[in-house]
């Protein structure tokens, strides 16, 4: 701005401040054992896992890296459903049981019947999600002119 006037917005306090009234949510992490269910669709197979821990009032989504795009889209749906359950004061395990009845299907996937299980930690569940997946190999560019 070359008019000689100072823009007052450049003097605004830009600190982020926590405000009341945001969406209610379960805690995102726990180091306690978790219950989980498997979410899958016909096109990609297992997309990820919805997990819950009543002890820490925690619940969340673990996606499979092998199907990252579809898993992320599916995870958005299931995380929104978890938030709705928390807003209705359901415990994480109650939310998990309710979600097991939800059958959106298609690319979002559905909870695999009978898949409810336990894992020692969310980290163990994340390791399960990565099983069989390898990161893409770095590209190797052939050097020209050298032998």
């Amino acid at each position: 701005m070359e008019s000689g006037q100072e823009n007052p917005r450049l003097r605004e306090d830009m600190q982020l401040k926590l405000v009341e009234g945001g969406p209610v949510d379960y805690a995102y992490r726990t180091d306690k054992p978790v219950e989980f269910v498997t979410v899958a669709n016909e096109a990609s197979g297992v997309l990820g896992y919805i997990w819950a821990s009543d002890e820490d009032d925690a619940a969340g989504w673990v996606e499979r890296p092998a199907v990252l795009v579809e898993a992320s889209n599916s995870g958005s749906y299931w995380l929104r459903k978890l938030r709705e359950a928390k807003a209705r004061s359901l415990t994480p395990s109650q939310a998990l049981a309710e979600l097991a009845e939800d059958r959106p299907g298609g690319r979002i996937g559905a909870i695999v019947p009978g898949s409810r299980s336990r894992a020692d930690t969310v980290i163990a569940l994340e390791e399960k999600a990565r099983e069989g997946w390898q990161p893409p190999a770095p590209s190797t560019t052939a050097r020209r002119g050298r032998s």
Side-chain angles (χ1 to χ4, degrees):
M1 200 176 219
E2 299 210 15
S3 66
Q5 295 180 347
E6 186 177 312
N7 185 337
R9 286 185 282 173
L10 296 177
R11 292 180 174 239
E12 288 180 25
D13 181 5
M14 299 299 287
Q15 294 180 354
L16 298 176
K17 297 177 183 172
L18 183 63
V19 294
E20 296 294 322
V24 294
D25 225 336
Y26 297 109
Y28 295 109
R29 296 304 275 179
T30 180
D31 58 356
K32 309 281 189 308
V34 296
E35 291 183 272
F36 69 91
V37 292
T38 303
V39 175
N41 69 16
E42 289 186 20
S44 300
V46 175
L47 299 170
Y49 306 94
I50 305 167
W51 60 268
S53 169
D54 285 347
E55 194 172 345
D56 284 340
D57 195 37
W61 169 257
V62 172
E63 57 195 29
R64 281 194 56 235
V67 289
L68 189 59
V69 173
E70 282 195 10
S72 292
N73 291 335
S74 180
S76 296
Y77 173 84
W78 295 108
L79 288 169
R80 186 172 61 253
K81 290 295 191 178
L82 283 172
R83 184 172 284 152
E84 290 169 6
K86 176 64 174 175
R88 291 184 286 120
S89 300
L90 296 180
T91 66
S93 61
Q94 289 172 326
L96 204 58
E98 183 177 276
L99 292 179
E101 303 302 317
D102 193 359
R103 301 268 185 248
R107 294 179 71 189
I108 295 300
I111 293 176
V112 176
S115 67
R116 194 162 182 160
S117 193
R118 293 182 62 79
D120 290 336
T121 62
V122 174
I123 292 170
L125 187 56
E126 290 169 344
E127 289 171 6
K128 176 180 177 63
R130 286 191 299 271
E131 283 177 5
W133 177 76
Q134 296 295 317
S139 63
T140 54
T141 308
R143 294 183 181 199
R144 294 185 182 166
R146 294 190 178 195
S147 33

